[in-house]
Amino acid sequence: MSSLKPHAAYSGQVMPRGSRTWAPLYRHPGLRSPPSFTGAAAKATAPSLADLLRQDQLRVDHIHWRLSESEGGVGVPMGSVKEPVRFGVAYLHDQPVIRVRLGSEYKSSEQSSPGVVQTVVLDTASDVPWVQCAPCPAPPCHRQADSTYDPARSGTYAAVPCGSPACEQLGRLYAGGCANGQCQYRVPFPNSNRSSSSGTYGADFLAVGPDSGITFKFGCSHGESDDQGGSSSSNSDNTTAGVMALGGGPESLVSQAAANYGNAFSYCIPAATERRQPGFFVLGGAPPSSAYVATPMLRYQRVRTFYRVCLQGIAVNGQLLNVSPSVFAAGAVLDSRTAVTRLPPTAYGALSEAFRGWMAAYTAAPPKAGLDTCYDFGGAFFVAPPRVELVLERGNVLELDRSGVLFHNCLAFAPNSDDRMPGILGNVQQQTMEVLYDVAGGAVGFRRGAC
């Protein structure tokens, strides 16, 4: 190993910089759920670690499957990716969520701003936003904590006509046909194409913050169905209204809002294990300044959904691992919903070995589900994991927060099955830092200690 000098950029500021178009970001369900979530949200039972990691792996499989299906043009070896198995739960536990206002309905005389409050999951690896729309009994819909958005009660709602540019733009992946002259959408969940959110593709007024508002196209879902016509909404902890897609496709919130706020966004996800203040989501933003650890944003030509960065190496306590930069050639997809970061197996093996060496003072524990570098901290007065740093393109060094190193007392990384498969930078490693996606400028910035 060789010594590595960490990047000096750090900011203790806990609010977004230079933008009023923002909303608090919560983790749901968990310690940082939205304050108004009660009832079903309060009673939600966390899945076991095995179930959580199974859900996590299915999302990873879905991303790799999307890339392998793109005419073999993104470097994902077809033999390394099997189509994900059937899985009826499309919602992952402990997700980043924000609250927005949709439509022009006033729910009460005391309401100062129009629109129905909707709590939506932020998803950087999907393109079509959607919410559940009335009428939508449970099942096939899942029960949500917010009032269900009813397009019939919003004077500003309009269904997108069949044959219109917006409908044609959905393309092969998201098009759901035509019904009564209205465009239909279909968003496959991360379990192959066997279940989906589907309904009418419409448009209405959307407000992300008090000083924002755009005419917004989204899917109006009347149920989550599987390929047999049944409900796929069996998950008990999902009380959100839908998904706010932030991917690089033309249907996403980012693309739709680019003319108003610029083609950029950022977020800060608070640590899952600490009772900190909420994080934040910002629509728009300037290019990364010196306060950020910056790196080029890479895009796939055939799959515009995903944002990608290139790693050059990994360091543990300032010591660079003996792994060739070529091992990281496939890059790493940024994902707000995958939990545990996936690495090329060669890089993961070196990281795990170095981590074990620095953790020799603690008692090793058996593997937990897909995590194989685990510890028993019973009786330990203080746990001090080694510092883990990601070396990005151009040599910039990103030090992870301590909360992004351990996950359920295990090293918070897992290997892909093949070095040629793209890595995935998950939300455990993104915790407490602002992640800025400067889509227009082709850059990604990381600002530590932002929330």
Side-chain angles (χ1 to χ4, degrees):
M1 295 186 184
S2 58
S3 296
L4 190 70
K5 183 179 180 179
H7 194 283
Y10 175 83
S11 170
Q13 186 174 352
V14 296
M15 302 303 290
R17 293 170 169 241
S19 176
R20 293 183 300 169
T21 312
W22 71 280
L25 182 152
Y26 305 93
R27 303 187 71 124
H28 171 71
L31 295 176
R32 293 286 91 206
S33 285
S36 63
F37 268 40
T38 57
K43 299 175 182 177
T45 301
S48 67
L49 178 60
D51 283 343
L52 190 153
L53 292 174
R54 183 168 66 101
Q55 294 175 26
D56 205 47
Q57 185 59 50
L58 285 167
R59 181 162 178 91
V60 170
D61 290 345
H62 179 74
I63 292 173
H64 285 153
W65 178 67
R66 283 278 315 273
L67 293 173
S68 70
E69 285 287 288
S70 63
E71 304 176 29
V74 296
V76 178
M78 292 291 290
S80 300
V81 181
K82 63 179 181 179
E83 186 177 352
V85 297
R86 178 187 177 88
F87 185 52
V89 180
Y91 180 79
L92 304 179
H93 188 78
D94 200 15
Q95 298 287 284
V97 301
I98 63 170
R99 311 192 79 199
V100 300
R101 288 189 177 273
L102 184 61
S104 55
E105 178 186 0
Y106 282 86
K107 299 296 290 185
S108 69
S109 58
E110 293 80 19
Q111 187 174 325
S112 59
S113 301
V116 179
V117 173
Q118 302 284 272
T119 302
V120 288
V121 181
L122 295 181
D123 191 343
T124 58
S126 67
D127 293 319
V128 178
W130 61 270
V131 298
Q132 297 190 135
C133 294
C136 200
C141 289
H142 61 260
R143 298 187 182 278
Q144 63 182 63
D146 302 314
S147 298
T148 303
Y149 167 79
D150 187 348
R153 299 177 66 86
S154 177
T156 48
Y157 172 81
V160 171
C162 296
S164 64
C167 188
E168 296 296 325
Q169 188 173 255
L170 290 174
R172 178 178 61 88
L173 182 61
Y174 302 119
C178 185
N180 300 319
Q182 298 179 348
C183 183
Q184 304 296 296
Y185 83 98
R186 180 179 179 275
V187 175
F189 289 149
N191 63 331
S192 176
N193 291 320
R194 295 190 177 91
S195 67
S196 62
S197 165
S198 60
T200 301
Y201 196 48
D204 208 337
F205 183 81
L206 173 78
V208 173
D211 301 307
S212 69
I214 62 169
T215 299
F216 176 67
K217 293 181 286 292
F218 61 99
C220 203
S221 175
H222 294 290
E224 302 160 21
S225 61
D226 59 29
D227 60 346
Q228 304 300 318
S231 169
S232 66
S233 57
S234 59
N235 43 306
S236 61
D237 63 352
N238 183 10
T239 56
T240 62
V243 170
M244 185 58 72
L246 301 173
E251 309 89 351
S252 76
L253 169 64
V254 185
S255 298
Q256 292 190 51
N260 298 75
Y261 303 106
N263 200 0
F265 68 97
S266 68
Y267 56 74
C268 186
I269 302 173
T273 56
E274 301 177 20
R275 293 187 179 275
R276 300 189 183 191
Q277 293 298 310
F280 56 81
F281 169 75
V282 178
L283 190 56
S289 67
S290 60
Y292 295 80
V293 178
T295 191
M297 175 186 288
L298 307 177
R299 304 290 298 278
Y300 295 108
Q301 290 300 314
R302 293 180 175 87
V303 186
R304 302 299 291 173
T305 305
F306 303 121
Y307 308 105
R308 185 171 53 125
V309 297
C310 186
L311 299 182
Q312 297 287 302
I314 301 174
V316 180
N317 267 358
Q319 300 298 306
L320 189 64
L321 302 181
N322 187 23
V323 177
S324 170
S326 63
V327 170
F328 302 97
V333 173
L334 293 163
D335 188 21
S336 60
R337 298 186 69 185
T338 297
V340 176
T341 287
R342 293 333 196 258
L343 294 173
T346 297
Y348 175 78
L351 172 61
S352 176
E353 181 180 1
F355 191 82
R356 291 175 191 272
W358 286 103
M359 295 287 285
Y362 300 100
T363 303
K368 297 180 181 179
L371 304 177
D372 64 8
T373 306
C374 302
Y375 296 89
D376 180 358
F377 295 121
F381 180 74
F382 182 72
V383 177
R387 187 173 71 251
V388 176
E389 297 153 318
L390 306 180
V391 184
L392 304 170
E393 196 170 354
R394 299 176 181 169
N396 290 335
V397 179
L398 175 64
E399 180 183 343
L400 302 180
D401 186 79
R402 284 183 56 191
S403 65
V405 176
L406 289 170
F407 184 70
H408 289 259
N409 294 340
C410 300
L411 177 62
F413 294 81
N416 281 329
S417 60
D418 192 300
D419 278 348
R420 295 170 293 172
M421 301 171 73
I424 296 178
L425 186 59
N427 63 33
V428 171
Q429 281 66 37
Q430 297 177 42
Q431 288 178 147
T432 76
M433 64 178 74
E434 180 181 10
V435 185
L436 170 61
Y437 297 70
D438 178 15
V439 183
V444 177
F446 301 89
R447 180 167 67 94
R448 296 187 62 243
C451 65

